[in-house]
Amino acid sequence: MAIRTVDAVMALLLGLSCAGSALAQEGTGWLAGTWQLAEDRKKLGFTDDFMDFDAQGTVVLRDSQKAYAHCRYQPGAGVLLLTCIAGGKERPMTMRVAPDKASLTNSVGDVYRKNRK
């Protein structure tokens, strides 16, 4: 029974790896630009939070006044994995990518959408 569980876990990880590779191979051009907070779960109507992605794998997290974190990002299977430096500490973060790539959702359910300016 344990071997079947290990086999199942390995198959799942392989599947996720392949899906992540497909997203990575697809490129990140769709991601480049400014994404703005559209739905804040704690502060309804609050939208003064932005993520500025570039095509080289970096993103700046900021509000309208200042940047508060500089991060590297890496696409995964339906997610973006961010490694940020904030307050002198490394902080990992995962953003779920909508299937149509129109929104990014953080772990607490806040939704970001790309500015179309």
Coordinates of all heavy atoms in Angstrom, one line a residue, residues 17-82:
S17 N 5.1 19.0 -12.5 CA 6.4 19.5 -13.1 C 6.2 19.8 -14.6 O 6.6 20.8 -15.2 CB 7.5 18.5 -12.9 OG 8.6 18.9 -13.6
C18 N 5.5 18.8 -15.3 CA 5.3 19.0 -16.7 C 4.4 20.2 -17.0 O 4.6 20.9 -18.0 CB 4.7 17.7 -17.3 SG 5.9 16.3 -17.3
A19 N 3.3 20.3 -16.2 CA 2.4 21.4 -16.4 C 3.2 22.8 -16.2 O 3.0 23.7 -16.9 CB 1.2 21.3 -15.5
G20 N 4.0 22.8 -15.1 CA 4.8 24.0 -14.8 C 5.7 24.3 -16.0 O 5.9 25.4 -16.3
S21 N 6.3 23.2 -16.5 CA 7.3 23.4 -17.7 C 6.5 24.0 -18.9 O 7.0 24.9 -19.6 CB 7.9 22.1 -18.1 OG 8.7 21.7 -17.0
A22 N 5.3 23.6 -19.1 CA 4.5 24.1 -20.2 C 4.2 25.6 -20.0 O 4.4 26.4 -20.9 CB 3.2 23.3 -20.3
L23 N 3.9 26.0 -18.8 CA 3.7 27.4 -18.5 C 5.0 28.2 -18.7 O 5.0 29.3 -19.3 CB 3.1 27.6 -17.1 CG 2.8 29.0 -16.7 CD1 1.7 29.6 -17.6 CD2 2.2 29.0 -15.2
A24 N 6.1 27.6 -18.2 CA 7.4 28.3 -18.3 C 7.8 28.4 -19.8 O 8.3 29.5 -20.2 CB 8.4 27.6 -17.5
Q25 N 7.6 27.4 -20.6 CA 7.9 27.4 -22.0 C 7.1 28.4 -22.8 O 7.5 28.9 -23.8 CB 7.8 26.0 -22.6 CG 8.8 25.0 -22.2 CD 8.5 23.6 -22.7 OE1 7.6 23.4 -23.3 NE2 9.4 22.7 -22.3
E26 N 5.9 28.6 -22.3 CA 5.0 29.5 -23.0 C 5.4 30.9 -22.9 O 5.0 31.8 -23.6 CB 3.6 29.3 -22.2 CG 2.5 30.0 -22.7 CD 1.3 29.6 -21.8 OE1 1.0 28.4 -21.8 OE2 0.7 30.5 -21.2
G27 N 6.3 31.2 -22.0 CA 6.8 32.6 -21.8 C 6.0 33.3 -20.8 O 5.0 32.9 -20.3
T28 N 6.5 34.5 -20.4 CA 5.9 35.3 -19.4 C 5.5 36.7 -20.0 O 5.2 37.6 -19.2 CB 6.8 35.5 -18.2 OG1 8.0 36.0 -18.6 CG2 7.0 34.2 -17.5
G29 N 5.5 36.8 -21.3 CA 5.1 38.1 -21.9 C 3.7 38.6 -21.5 O 3.5 39.8 -21.3
W30 N 2.8 37.7 -21.3 CA 1.5 38.0 -20.8 C 1.5 38.7 -19.4 O 0.6 39.4 -19.1 CB 0.6 36.8 -20.8 CG 1.0 35.7 -19.8 CD1 1.9 34.8 -20.1 CD2 0.7 35.6 -18.5 NE1 2.2 34.0 -18.9 CE2 1.4 34.5 -17.9 CE3 -0.2 36.3 -17.6 CZ2 1.3 34.1 -16.6 CZ3 -0.3 35.9 -16.3 CH2 0.4 34.8 -15.8
L31 N 2.5 38.4 -18.7 CA 2.6 38.8 -17.3 C 3.2 40.2 -17.2 O 2.9 41.0 -16.3 CB 3.5 37.8 -16.5 CG 3.6 38.0 -15.0 CD1 2.2 37.9 -14.4 CD2 4.5 36.9 -14.5
A32 N 4.1 40.6 -18.1 CA 4.8 41.9 -18.0 C 3.9 43.0 -18.0 O 2.9 43.1 -18.7 CB 5.8 42.0 -19.2
G33 N 4.1 44.0 -17.1 CA 3.3 45.1 -16.9 C 2.9 45.3 -15.5 O 3.3 44.6 -14.6
T34 N 1.9 46.2 -15.3 CA 1.4 46.5 -13.9 C 0.1 45.8 -13.6 O -0.8 45.9 -14.4 CB 1.3 48.0 -13.7 OG1 2.6 48.7 -13.9 CG2 0.7 48.4 -12.4
W35 N 0.1 45.1 -12.5 CA -1.1 44.4 -12.0 C -1.6 45.2 -10.8 O -0.8 45.5 -9.9 CB -0.8 43.0 -11.7 CG -0.5 42.2 -12.9 CD1 0.6 42.3 -13.7 CD2 -1.3 41.1 -13.5 NE1 0.5 41.3 -14.7 CE2 -0.6 40.6 -14.6 CE3 -2.5 40.6 -13.1 CZ2 -1.1 39.6 -15.4 CZ3 -3.0 39.5 -13.9 CH2 -2.3 39.1 -15.0
Q36 N -2.9 45.5 -10.7 CA -3.4 46.3 -9.6 C -4.4 45.4 -8.8 O -5.1 44.6 -9.3 CB -4.1 47.5 -10.1 CG -4.6 48.4 -9.0 CD -5.2 49.7 -9.5 OE1 -5.3 49.9 -10.7 NE2 -5.5 50.6 -8.6
L37 N -4.4 45.6 -7.5 CA -5.3 45.0 -6.6 C -6.7 45.4 -7.0 O -7.1 46.6 -7.1 CB -5.1 45.4 -5.1 CG -6.0 44.8 -4.1 CD1 -5.8 43.3 -4.0 CD2 -5.7 45.4 -2.7
A38 N -7.6 44.4 -7.3 CA -8.9 44.6 -7.7 C -9.9 44.2 -6.6 O -11.0 44.8 -6.5 CB -9.2 43.9 -9.0
E39 N -9.6 43.2 -5.8 CA -10.5 42.7 -4.8 C -9.7 42.4 -3.6 O -8.9 41.5 -3.5 CB -11.2 41.5 -5.3 CG -12.1 41.7 -6.5 CD -12.6 40.3 -7.0 OE1 -12.8 39.4 -6.2 OE2 -12.8 40.2 -8.2
D40 N -9.8 43.3 -2.5 CA -9.1 43.0 -1.3 C -10.1 42.4 -0.3 O -11.2 43.0 -0.1 CB -8.6 44.4 -0.7 CG -7.8 44.2 0.5 OD1 -8.2 43.6 1.5 OD2 -6.6 44.7 0.5
R41 N -9.8 41.3 0.2 CA -10.7 40.5 1.1 C -11.0 41.2 2.4 O -12.0 41.0 3.0 CB -10.3 39.1 1.3 CG -10.2 38.3 0.0 CD -11.6 38.0 -0.4 NE -11.6 37.3 -1.7 CZ -12.4 37.5 -2.7 NH1 -13.4 38.4 -2.6 NH2 -12.3 36.8 -3.8
K42 N -10.0 41.9 2.9 CA -10.1 42.6 4.3 C -10.6 44.0 4.2 O -11.3 44.4 5.1 CB -8.8 42.5 5.0 CG -8.4 41.1 5.4 CD -7.1 41.1 6.2 CE -6.7 39.7 6.6 NZ -5.5 39.6 7.3
K43 N -10.2 44.7 3.2 CA -10.5 46.2 3.1 C -11.3 46.3 1.7 O -10.7 46.6 0.7 CB -9.3 47.0 3.1 CG -8.5 47.0 4.4 CD -7.5 48.1 4.4 CE -6.1 47.5 4.1 NZ -5.0 48.5 4.1
L44 N -12.6 46.2 1.8 CA -13.4 46.3 0.6 C -13.2 47.7 -0.1 O -13.2 48.7 0.6 CB -14.9 46.1 0.9 CG -15.2 44.7 1.4 CD1 -16.7 44.6 1.7 CD2 -14.9 43.7 0.4
G45 N -13.0 47.7 -1.4 CA -12.8 48.9 -2.1 C -11.3 49.4 -2.2 O -11.0 50.3 -2.9
F46 N -10.4 48.8 -1.4 CA -9.0 49.2 -1.3 C -8.3 48.7 -2.6 O -8.4 47.5 -2.9 CB -8.3 48.7 -0.1 CG -6.9 49.1 0.0 CD1 -6.5 50.3 0.4 CD2 -5.9 48.1 -0.3 CE1 -5.2 50.7 0.5 CE2 -4.6 48.5 -0.2 CZ -4.2 49.8 0.2
T47 N -7.7 49.5 -3.3 CA -7.0 49.1 -4.6 C -5.6 49.7 -4.7 O -5.0 49.6 -5.8 CB -7.8 49.5 -5.8 OG1 -7.9 50.9 -5.8 CG2 -9.2 48.9 -5.8
D48 N -5.1 50.3 -3.7 CA -3.7 51.0 -3.7 C -2.6 50.0 -3.4 O -1.9 50.1 -2.5 CB -3.7 52.1 -2.8 CG -2.4 53.0 -3.0 OD1 -1.8 52.9 -4.1 OD2 -1.9 53.6 -2.0
D49 N -2.5 48.9 -4.3 CA -1.5 47.9 -4.2 C -1.2 47.4 -5.6 O -2.2 47.1 -6.4 CB -2.0 46.8 -3.3 CG -0.9 45.9 -2.9 OD1 0.2 46.4 -2.6 OD2 -1.1 44.6 -2.8
F50 N 0.1 47.4 -6.0 CA 0.4 47.1 -7.4 C 1.6 46.1 -7.4 O 2.4 46.0 -6.5 CB 0.9 48.4 -8.1 CG -0.1 49.5 -8.1 CD1 -0.2 50.4 -7.0 CD2 -1.0 49.6 -9.1 CE1 -1.1 51.4 -7.0 CE2 -2.0 50.6 -9.1 CZ -2.0 51.5 -8.1
M51 N 1.7 45.4 -8.5 CA 2.8 44.5 -8.8 C 3.3 44.8 -10.2 O 2.5 44.8 -11.1 CB 2.4 43.0 -8.7 CG 1.9 42.6 -7.3 SD 1.6 40.8 -7.2 CE 0.2 40.7 -8.3
D52 N 4.5 45.2 -10.3 CA 5.1 45.6 -11.6 C 6.1 44.5 -12.1 O 7.2 44.3 -11.5 CB 5.9 46.9 -11.5 CG 5.0 48.1 -11.1 OD1 3.9 48.2 -11.6 OD2 5.5 48.9 -10.3
F53 N 5.6 43.6 -13.0 CA 6.4 42.5 -13.5 C 7.2 42.9 -14.8 O 6.7 43.7 -15.6 CB 5.4 41.4 -14.0 CG 4.8 40.7 -12.8 CD1 3.6 41.1 -12.3 CD2 5.4 39.5 -12.2 CE1 2.9 40.4 -11.3 CE2 4.8 38.9 -11.2 CZ 3.5 39.3 -10.7
D54 N 8.4 42.4 -14.9 CA 9.1 42.6 -16.1 C 9.3 41.2 -16.7 O 9.0 40.2 -16.1 CB 10.4 43.3 -15.9 CG 11.5 42.5 -15.1 OD1 11.4 41.3 -15.0 OD2 12.4 43.2 -14.6
A55 N 9.8 41.1 -17.9 CA 10.0 39.9 -18.7 C 11.2 39.1 -18.2 O 11.4 38.0 -18.6 CB 10.0 40.1 -20.2
Q56 N 12.1 39.7 -17.4 CA 13.3 39.1 -17.0 C 13.2 38.3 -15.6 O 14.2 37.9 -15.1 CB 14.4 40.2 -16.8 CG 14.9 40.7 -18.1 CD 13.9 41.6 -18.8 OE1 13.4 42.5 -18.2 NE2 13.7 41.4 -20.1
G57 N 12.0 38.2 -15.1 CA 11.8 37.4 -13.9 C 11.8 38.2 -12.6 O 11.9 37.6 -11.6
T58 N 11.6 39.5 -12.7 CA 11.5 40.3 -11.4 C 10.2 41.0 -11.3 O 9.6 41.3 -12.4 CB 12.7 41.3 -11.3 OG1 12.6 42.3 -12.4 CG2 14.1 40.6 -11.4
V59 N 9.8 41.3 -10.1 CA 8.6 42.0 -9.9 C 8.8 42.9 -8.6 O 9.5 42.6 -7.7 CB 7.4 41.1 -9.6 CG1 7.6 40.1 -8.5 CG2 6.1 41.8 -9.4
V60 N 8.2 44.1 -8.7 CA 8.3 45.1 -7.6 C 6.9 45.2 -7.0 O 5.9 45.4 -7.7 CB 8.8 46.5 -8.0 CG1 8.7 47.5 -6.9 CG2 10.2 46.4 -8.6
L61 N 6.8 45.0 -5.7 CA 5.5 45.1 -5.0 C 5.5 46.5 -4.4 O 6.5 46.9 -3.8 CB 5.3 44.1 -3.9 CG 5.6 42.6 -4.3 CD1 5.3 41.7 -3.2 CD2 4.7 42.2 -5.5
R62 N 4.4 47.3 -4.6 CA 4.4 48.7 -4.2 C 3.0 49.1 -4.0 O 2.0 48.5 -4.4 CB 5.1 49.5 -5.2 CG 4.3 49.6 -6.6 CD 5.0 50.4 -7.6 NE 4.3 50.4 -8.9 CZ 3.2 51.2 -9.2 NH1 2.7 52.1 -8.3 NH2 2.6 51.1 -10.4
D63 N 2.9 50.3 -3.4 CA 1.6 51.1 -3.4 C 1.9 52.3 -4.2 O 2.9 52.4 -4.8 CB 1.1 51.3 -1.9 CG 2.1 52.2 -1.1 OD1 2.9 52.9 -1.7 OD2 2.0 52.1 0.1
S64 N 1.0 53.3 -4.1 CA 1.2 54.5 -4.9 C 2.3 55.4 -4.4 O 2.7 56.3 -5.1 CB -0.1 55.3 -5.0 OG -0.6 55.7 -3.7
Q65 N 2.8 55.2 -3.2 CA 3.8 56.0 -2.6 C 5.2 55.4 -2.7 O 6.2 56.2 -2.9 CB 3.5 56.3 -1.1 CG 2.1 57.0 -1.0 CD 2.1 58.3 -1.6 OE1 2.9 59.2 -1.4 NE2 1.0 58.6 -2.4
K66 N 5.3 54.1 -2.5 CA 6.7 53.5 -2.4 C 6.7 52.0 -2.7 O 5.6 51.4 -2.6 CB 7.2 53.7 -1.0 CG 6.5 53.0 0.1 CD 7.0 53.2 1.5 CE 6.3 52.6 2.6 NZ 4.9 52.3 2.5
A67 N 7.8 51.5 -3.1 CA 8.0 50.1 -3.2 C 8.3 49.5 -1.8 O 8.9 50.1 -1.0 CB 9.2 49.8 -4.1
Y68 N 7.7 48.3 -1.6 CA 7.9 47.6 -0.3 C 8.6 46.3 -0.4 O 8.9 45.7 0.6 CB 6.7 47.6 0.6 CG 5.4 47.0 -0.1 CD1 5.2 45.7 -0.1 CD2 4.5 47.9 -0.7 CE1 4.1 45.2 -0.7 CE2 3.4 47.4 -1.3 CZ 3.1 46.0 -1.3 OH 2.0 45.5 -1.9
A69 N 8.7 45.7 -1.6 CA 9.4 44.5 -1.8 C 9.9 44.3 -3.3 O 9.2 44.8 -4.2 CB 8.6 43.3 -1.5
H70 N 11.1 43.7 -3.4 CA 11.6 43.4 -4.7 C 11.7 41.9 -4.8 O 12.2 41.3 -3.8 CB 13.0 44.0 -4.9 CG 12.9 45.5 -4.9 ND1 12.7 46.2 -6.1 CD2 13.0 46.4 -3.9 CE1 12.7 47.5 -5.8 NE2 12.8 47.7 -4.5
C71 N 11.2 41.3 -5.8 CA 11.0 39.8 -5.9 C 11.5 39.3 -7.2 O 11.6 40.0 -8.2 CB 9.6 39.4 -5.7 SG 8.7 40.3 -4.4
R72 N 11.8 38.0 -7.2 CA 12.0 37.2 -8.4 C 10.8 36.3 -8.5 O 10.2 35.9 -7.5 CB 13.3 36.3 -8.3 CG 14.5 37.0 -8.0 CD 15.5 37.4 -9.1 NE 15.5 36.5 -10.2 CZ 15.6 37.0 -11.5 NH1 15.6 38.3 -11.7 NH2 15.7 36.2 -12.5
Y73 N 10.4 36.1 -9.7 CA 9.2 35.2 -9.9 C 9.6 34.0 -10.9 O 10.5 34.1 -11.7 CB 8.0 35.9 -10.4 CG 8.1 36.4 -11.8 CD1 7.7 35.6 -12.9 CD2 8.5 37.7 -12.1 CE1 7.8 36.1 -14.2 CE2 8.5 38.2 -13.4 CZ 8.2 37.4 -14.4 OH 8.3 37.9 -15.7
Q74 N 8.9 32.9 -10.7 CA 9.1 31.7 -11.5 C 7.7 31.1 -11.7 O 7.0 30.9 -10.8 CB 10.0 30.8 -10.8 CG 10.3 29.5 -11.6 CD 11.3 28.7 -10.9 OE1 11.6 28.8 -9.7 NE2 11.9 27.8 -11.6
P75 N 7.3 30.9 -13.0 CA 6.0 30.2 -13.2 C 6.1 28.8 -12.8 O 7.1 28.1 -12.9 CB 5.8 30.4 -14.7 CG 7.2 30.6 -15.3 CD 8.0 31.2 -14.2
G76 N 4.9 28.3 -12.3 CA 4.8 26.9 -11.9 C 3.5 26.4 -12.6 O 3.0 27.0 -13.5
A77 N 3.0 25.3 -12.1 CA 1.7 24.7 -12.6 C 0.5 25.5 -12.1 O 0.0 25.3 -11.0 CB 1.6 23.3 -12.1
G78 N 0.1 26.5 -12.9 CA -1.0 27.4 -12.6 C -0.8 28.4 -11.5 O -1.7 28.9 -10.9
V79 N 0.5 28.5 -11.2 CA 0.9 29.5 -10.1 C 2.1 30.3 -10.5 O 2.9 29.9 -11.4 CB 1.2 28.8 -8.7 CG1 0.0 28.1 -8.2 CG2 2.3 27.8 -8.9
L80 N 2.4 31.3 -9.8 CA 3.6 32.1 -9.9 C 4.2 31.9 -8.5 O 3.6 32.2 -7.5 CB 3.4 33.5 -10.2 CG 3.0 33.9 -11.6 CD1 2.7 35.4 -11.7 CD2 4.1 33.5 -12.6
L81 N 5.5 31.5 -8.4 CA 6.2 31.4 -7.2 C 7.1 32.7 -7.1 O 7.9 32.9 -7.9 CB 7.1 30.2 -7.2 CG 6.3 28.9 -7.5 CD1 7.2 27.7 -7.6 CD2 5.2 28.6 -6.4
L82 N 6.8 33.5 -6.1 CA 7.6 34.7 -5.8 C 8.5 34.5 -4.6 O 8.1 33.9 -3.6 CB 6.7 35.9 -5.5 CG 6.0 36.6 -6.7 CD1 5.0 35.7 -7.4 CD2 5.3 37.8 -6.3

